[in-house]
Each structure stands twice: as C-alpha cells, then as structure tokens.
Amino acid sequence: MMKKISYIEKPEEWEKDFMFHVPIKVRFSETDMFGHMNNTAPFIYFEEARIEFMKSIGIFDIASSEMESIPVVADLQCDFHQQIYFDDQLTLYVKVNHIGTTSYDLHYMALNRSQQPCLTGRGRIVQINQDTGKPVEIPQEIKGLLVTK
Amino acid sequence: MMKKISYIEKPEEWEKDFMFHVPIKVRFSETDMFGHMNNTAPFIYFEEARIEFMKSIGIFDIASSEMESIPVVADLQCDFHQQIYFDDQLTLYVKVNHIGTTSYDLHYMALNRSQQPCLTGRGRIVQINQDTGKPVEIPQEIKGLLVTK
Amino acid sequence: MMKKISYIEKPEEWEKDFMFHVPIKVRFSETDMFGHMNNTAPFIYFEEARIEFMKSIGIFDIASSEMESIPVVADLQCDFHQQIYFDDQLTLYVKVNHIGTTSYDLHYMALNRSQQPCLTGRGRIVQINQDTGKPVEIPQEIKGLLVTK
Amino acid sequence: MMKKISYIEKPEEWEKDFMFHVPIKVRFSETDMFGHMNNTAPFIYFEEARIEFMKSIGIFDIASSEMESIPVVADLQCDFHQQIYFDDQLTLYVKVNHIGTTSYDLHYMALNRSQQPCLTGRGRIVQINQDTGKPVEIPQEIKGLLVTK
C-alpha cells in the first residue's frame, strides 16, 4: 500500500490508467554512499521517460516544424515509496493527467521487480513563447496528440 | 512575482524566514542542449544545501553516535520560476518548515544574481529504523537542533 | 579511419577482438549546451559496460564471498572520434586487454549507428587489500575468469 | 610518492609548474555505494577547472566574437592516486602543457587536504571548423593567451 499522495486521488484507478512505459536500470554511478539509489536519480529517469513518451505520441515531429513556442518544465516532484538499489530494474510509466490551456501535467509511476510502486511523481509542462518567455496556448495539433493518450 | 505555490502560504514571510544559505554555481555539465540548466540539477543543489545545513546545526555529530534510526528523503519537489544558465551564481537557502513526530519538512529557495527567486522547493525527511524500515520518533536531541533553526 | 591511439597497436585486430557489448542510449540530461553529449558521459557508460561485463563472466559471484581484496579503478581514459548527440544509440564493447599480477586492463569501443567507432577507451583495474590499500595478487579464480574472455 | 604516469616526465617540476586552481568539494551525489567518490566525478571537476581556467585567461572573450572555429575535447584521462571521500575538499590545478598547430594539451592535478596529489590527468583540445568538423589552426590571439600561461 502506498502512502497518501496529494496528486493521487484514487490510487487504484490512477495506477490502472498508465499505458506507456520504459525500462530503467539503476546505474552504479547513480547510487550513493548510503548504498542505494541517490535521490537525484528519479528526475533523470522521469526526463528519459517523458522524452520517450513525447516521441511515441509524435510531439517531436510537430515541434521541429512549429518552433514559435516550446514546452518547458514548470515543476517536478517525486515521492519515494520503497528503497531502490544498484542494478534494480524498474518499469517507469508516464501519462498525461490533465490538460489546461497553456500547460499540462504528466504523472509518473515506477514499479520494481515485485510490481510494487517504488516511485511516483508528477510535473507540469508549460508551453511558452521563446522570445517573450510568457505562457501561450498549447498548439492545437499537440493538444490533439495529448488528449488521445 | 512568483507564481502561486501550494507549499508557500505567505510568500513574503516565507522568503524572510530563510537564514542559512550556500553558494551554487551552475556547471557546464549541468546544462543541456536547450542551452540552460537541466531540470535534474536543482535536486543535486538541494541535496548539497541540505547536507551543509544539517552539518551546520550539528545533526551529523549526533547521527554518527546514535545510529539506530536514520533520516531518509520521503519526497522532493521543485518549482522553476526563472530560466537558469551556465555559470549562473545562485544563493540557495534552506530552512526547517515543519517538524512532526517522525518527520520534518525542509524548504528551499534559490535566488539569482538579481536577487529573484529562480527555484523554490521542499522535501520531507522521515526518521526510520534501519532494520525495520518503519518510521520512528525523531530523537529528542535532533528535534532540539531543528527547532531552534 | 580512427586517429592514432597509443593503446591501440593494430586497429583492425583490436576492433575484431571485442565480443561483449551493451546498448547505450544518450540521455537528454547527458547533453550539454553545445548540443551534443557532454564529455563526462562516456565514463558513466564505461562503468555501466564494465559492471555488466564483470557480471557476465561471474566475477561478482566470487567477489561477494572472497572480500579480502577488491578491484578498484586505477586510471581511465577516453578518445572522442565522432560527435555524439542526444538519443544516439551506441553499442559499447568491453574486453580484457592485458592481465598482470596485481592488475588488468579493460578496453572499450563504442560504435554508432553507422558502425563507426565514436569512442574508444581503456582503464586499469587494480586488486587491492581493503585494509592496507596496497595492491595484492589477483585471486586465481578471478584470473581464470578474465583469461578466458 | 605518485606512481609512474606516462604524461608526467619529471613529477617535481611538473607539480611546481601549476599556477591556476579552483576549489572542488566532493558532493554526496558524486559518491557511490562503495563509499567514496565515483570514478566519473573527476571528469566533471576537470571540466569545471578547464572552463574557469579558460575564462581566467580571456579565451571566452575572444571565442564569442571569433566563432568560425571552436575548441573541442579530443581525449581525456585521469589517474587515481588516493581514495577520495564525500565532502573532501580538493584543490584542482590546471595548466597548458603543450601547444601544437591545431591542438593543445591541458594537464590537471588535484591535491587533497594533506597536499597530496590524489588525482592527475590530461586532455587534448582540438580547434575545429564548425562546418567541416576538421582541425584548423589555433587562432593567433588564442595561442597568445595560452603561451603566456
């Protein structure tokens, strides 16, 4: 059983809703002298999963042609549920959790070999104008790709 | 002006309440191909600041003798308020924000050269029994050190 | 054609001699603001390949029971032959190149998608006594595993 | 006494020849489960020292205006002389060791608190044309800055 997490309303539904996932193996250089995964590593994994997810739904194909606005990370958070060790094999899931006008939320869940959630997390992506740095509407094509996932 | 952050009730008071800080310089290897600080870097900085803070209040001196329970990171989060670039010089503040029975919260704020908050964050530290992995009461000596800061 | 490298006598033979390999994908967080893989990343990859290699030949099984001496990295080097970019898929090879009395050399070669060597490298591993820190003879069982590879 | 290193002819003279240095503190996230500094960390430190060195002699001022060719890392190597631990405070020295037509060598030495060399290293920087990727002559102004150091 996971502890109560503010961004997870109904844990069972929340877990079932994930589809996309990438494999992650904890590197030796990602451990620390306490003998387990250093707590900065999940954010490396989240980024890897986020990029693979965006690639998989086709956002990068649009992004390269449509470069007036770009997506940037507005915030990131991670909850540690189980100790993670060197060489652990994780399955890291990503999904779109909410789409607003200028931003959307991605949620993350890592299962360990026993299929237990060992990490959960989320982060908001904001679409900004590259020149002004201000939030702009998510382009309709990108919104379309996000909604269907 | 910072955007609204869930863990910051009154921004002005929250900012004034910080005392302890460490200098951080953004390394070249911490940038990414988008030309600014990679979003995994703040968690490296938070860890550095957290350790220096704990050292400064004397927790490590106690910890080494009193090793039945140890502090572990239960969660971490970071909000990105301003773009951060290579070689930027940040002042990273840490403070204890709340002390419970088995855990406490640390809050973080990074100011850039213009004294603007470019990063804010928080994370909960839980005191656990090394053998059982279960939360235990924060030892009274440690609590004493945390309260006065 | 690779440039001349001091630790590679006959490039063609040297290349053919590799058998063991691991797949490596260049992470976004491993790029830098110059738009390609940061030059600290190969050493992360070398470590990953080295550990997988040692696991594959069974060194870790011995190591855990026979802990009077341990292997440590004495030196590391890497030559950059081709630019490497985000999301590049590399095949990283490792082999034992020389076995001495107290140390052995591991060599590395990374091929890019065009099967061109983009990185080559080497490093010496020394067997040391954990208490004294002095080099000791490589245990016979470990030597046996290394020789046959 | 340092072990024999191929790129150091006369250790005493070699050591005395260093002038420029930066302070380095080993971060917790740079340790690994073996309890000391992970062997990928020196290359992060070398990069930091290299950039500070180049900044100090004024190369970056020229580089920004004169962008037909850029300096890239051709190779890197590091020798580990002493174990290095979390929170160790190192003094990392850098110097130009040799200047050729299209490339130059930088050498590195890290002293620990006891003023013992715990790391030494070197790496070649090649000046390349950004469009062709081929080596080109080091611009005369840059050469001038390097020679006098």
Side-chain angles (χ1 to χ4, degrees):
Chain A
M1 247 304 287
M2 281 199 297
K3 61 185 173 183
K4 190 79 196 78
I5 301 295
S6 66
Y7 51 85
I8 304 176
E9 279 183 49
K10 299 172 182 172
E12 278 185 40
E13 287 177 30
W14 184 82
E15 286 187 32
K16 277 191 194 130
D17 220 29
F18 283 102
M19 301 284 288
F20 183 84
H21 55 92
V22 296
I24 298 285
K25 199 171 60 185
V26 178
R27 288 172 166 168
F28 188 78
S29 58
E30 292 160 359
T31 61
D32 63 36
M33 56 184 276
F34 279 3
H36 41 64
M37 180 198 71
N38 184 257
N39 59 60
T40 62
F43 301 98
I44 301 176
Y45 307 157
F46 286 1
E47 185 175 74
E48 181 161 345
R50 179 167 63 247
I51 287 169
E52 289 303 318
F53 174 70
M54 288 183 161
K55 216 195 294 178
S56 79
I57 63 174
I59 282 192
F60 283 179
D61 306 331
I62 294 177
S64 37
S65 55
E66 169 106 9
M67 285 296 282
E68 285 148 52
S69 68
I70 53 163
V72 299
V73 170
D75 80 312
L76 275 175
Q77 72 186 102
C78 177
D79 286 83
F80 299 79
H81 302 278
Q82 304 275 342
Q83 296 288 5
I84 298 174
Y85 299 94
F86 164 59
D87 218 25
D88 273 2
Q89 193 80 44
L90 310 178
T91 307
L92 180 50
Y93 289 84
V94 200
K95 65 174 173 181
V96 180
N97 201 70
H98 170 81
I99 307 173
T101 309
T102 62
S103 72
Y104 50 98
D105 256 41
L106 296 179
H107 281 203
Y108 305 91
M109 175 180 65
L111 300 184
N112 60 20
R113 277 202 183 90
S114 325
Q115 302 301 307
Q116 288 179 304
C118 48
L119 298 171
T120 58
R122 55 157 295 287
R124 198 156 56 90
I125 307 289
V126 184
Q127 197 74 17
I128 62 160
N129 179 294
Q130 271 191 295
D131 299 324
T132 65
K134 301 265 185 232
V136 295
E137 274 195 35
I138 304 169
Q140 211 52 48
E141 304 103 298
I142 289 179
K143 213 160 181 170
L145 296 172
L146 292 170
V147 167
T148 61
K149 298 295 149 179
Chain B
M1 247 306 286
M2 282 199 295
K3 59 186 174 182
K4 188 81 195 78
I5 301 294
S6 67
Y7 51 84
I8 304 176
E9 278 182 49
K10 298 174 182 169
E12 278 186 39
E13 287 177 30
W14 184 82
E15 286 187 33
K16 277 190 195 134
D17 221 28
F18 284 103
M19 301 284 288
F20 184 84
H21 56 91
V22 295
I24 298 285
K25 198 171 60 184
V26 179
R27 287 173 167 168
F28 189 77
S29 58
E30 292 160 358
T31 61
D32 63 35
M33 57 184 277
F34 279 1
H36 39 66
M37 179 199 70
N38 184 258
N39 59 62
T40 63
F43 301 98
I44 301 175
Y45 307 157
F46 286 3
E47 184 175 74
E48 182 161 345
R50 179 168 62 248
I51 288 169
E52 289 302 320
F53 174 70
M54 287 183 161
K55 216 193 294 177
S56 79
I57 63 174
I59 282 192
F60 283 178
D61 306 331
I62 294 178
S64 37
S65 54
E66 169 107 6
M67 285 298 281
E68 286 146 53
S69 68
I70 52 163
V72 299
V73 170
D75 79 310
L76 275 176
Q77 70 186 101
C78 176
D79 287 83
F80 300 77
H81 301 278
Q82 304 275 343
Q83 296 289 7
I84 298 174
Y85 298 95
F86 164 60
D87 217 25
D88 273 2
Q89 193 79 44
L90 310 178
T91 306
L92 179 50
Y93 289 85
V94 201
K95 64 174 172 181
V96 180
N97 202 69
H98 171 81
I99 307 174
T101 309
T102 62
S103 71
Y104 50 97
D105 257 41
L106 295 179
H107 280 203
Y108 305 92
M109 175 180 65
L111 300 184
N112 59 20
R113 278 203 183 88
S114 325
Q115 301 302 308
Q116 288 178 303
C118 47
L119 299 170
T120 58
R122 57 157 294 287
R124 199 157 55 92
I125 307 289
V126 184
Q127 196 75 15
I128 62 162
N129 179 296
Q130 271 192 296
D131 298 324
T132 65
K134 303 264 184 234
V136 296
E137 272 195 37
I138 305 169
Q140 211 51 46
E141 304 101 298
I142 290 180
K143 212 160 182 169
L145 296 172
L146 293 169
V147 167
T148 60
K149 298 292 150 178
Chain C
M1 247 307 285
M2 279 199 297
K3 60 184 175 184
K4 189 79 195 80
I5 301 296
S6 67
Y7 51 84
I8 305 175
E9 278 182 48
K10 299 172 181 171
E12 278 185 39
E13 287 176 32
W14 184 82
E15 286 187 31
K16 276 190 197 132
D17 221 29
F18 283 102
M19 301 284 288
F20 184 84
H21 55 91
V22 295
I24 298 285
K25 198 171 62 184
V26 178
R27 286 172 168 169
F28 189 78
S29 58
E30 292 160 359
T31 61
D32 63 34
M33 55 185 277
F34 279 2
H36 41 65
M37 180 198 70
N38 184 259
N39 59 60
T40 62
F43 301 98
I44 300 176
Y45 307 157
F46 287 2
E47 184 175 74
E48 181 161 346
R50 178 168 64 248
I51 287 170
E52 289 302 319
F53 174 70
M54 289 185 160
K55 216 194 294 179
S56 79
I57 64 175
I59 281 192
F60 282 178
D61 306 332
I62 295 178
S64 36
S65 55
E66 170 106 6
M67 286 296 282
E68 285 147 53
S69 67
I70 52 163
V72 299
V73 170
D75 80 311
L76 275 175
Q77 72 186 104
C78 177
D79 286 83
F80 299 78
H81 302 278
Q82 305 273 344
Q83 296 288 5
I84 298 175
Y85 299 94
F86 164 60
D87 217 26
D88 273 3
Q89 192 80 43
L90 310 179
T91 307
L92 179 50
Y93 289 85
V94 201
K95 65 174 174 183
V96 181
N97 201 69
H98 171 81
I99 308 174
T101 309
T102 61
S103 71
Y104 51 98
D105 256 41
L106 295 179
H107 280 203
Y108 305 92
M109 175 180 65
L111 300 184
N112 60 20
R113 278 204 182 88
S114 325
Q115 301 301 306
Q116 288 178 305
C118 48
L119 298 171
T120 59
R122 57 157 294 288
R124 198 157 56 91
I125 306 288
V126 184
Q127 196 75 16
I128 62 161
N129 180 295
Q130 270 191 295
D131 298 324
T132 65
K134 301 265 184 232
V136 295
E137 274 195 36
I138 305 169
Q140 211 50 48
E141 305 103 297
I142 289 179
K143 213 160 181 170
L145 297 172
L146 293 169
V147 167
T148 61
K149 299 294 150 178
Chain D
M1 247 306 285
M2 279 200 296
K3 60 186 175 183
K4 187 84 196 76
I5 301 295
S6 66
Y7 51 84
I8 304 176
E9 278 181 50
K10 299 173 182 169
E12 277 185 41
E13 286 177 31
W14 183 83
E15 286 186 32
K16 277 191 195 131
D17 221 28
F18 283 102
M19 303 284 288
F20 184 84
H21 55 92
V22 295
I24 297 284
K25 197 171 61 184
V26 179
R27 287 172 168 170
F28 189 78
S29 59
E30 292 160 358
T31 61
D32 63 35
M33 56 184 277
F34 279 3
H36 40 66
M37 179 198 70
N38 184 257
N39 59 62
T40 62
F43 301 98
I44 300 175
Y45 307 156
F46 286 2
E47 184 175 74
E48 182 160 344
R50 178 167 64 248
I51 287 170
E52 289 303 318
F53 174 69
M54 289 184 159
K55 215 193 296 178
S56 79
I57 64 175
I59 282 193
F60 283 178
D61 306 331
I62 294 178
S64 37
S65 55
E66 170 106 7
M67 286 295 283
E68 285 147 52
S69 68
I70 52 164
V72 299
V73 170
D75 80 311
L76 275 176
Q77 71 187 104
C78 176
D79 286 84
F80 300 77
H81 302 278
Q82 305 276 343
Q83 297 289 6
I84 298 174
Y85 298 94
F86 164 60
D87 217 26
D88 273 2
Q89 193 80 42
L90 310 179
T91 307
L92 180 50
Y93 289 84
V94 202
K95 66 173 172 182
V96 180
N97 201 68
H98 171 80
I99 307 173
T101 310
T102 62
S103 71
Y104 51 97
D105 257 40
L106 296 180
H107 280 203
Y108 305 91
M109 176 179 65
L111 300 184
N112 58 21
R113 278 202 181 90
S114 325
Q115 302 301 308
Q116 289 178 302
C118 48
L119 299 170
T120 59
R122 57 157 294 286
R124 199 157 55 90
I125 306 289
V126 184
Q127 196 75 15
I128 62 161
N129 180 295
Q130 270 192 295
D131 298 324
T132 66
K134 303 263 185 236
V136 296
E137 272 194 37
I138 305 168
Q140 211 50 49
E141 303 103 297
I142 290 180
K143 214 162 181 168
L145 297 172
L146 293 169
V147 168
T148 59
K149 299 293 150 177

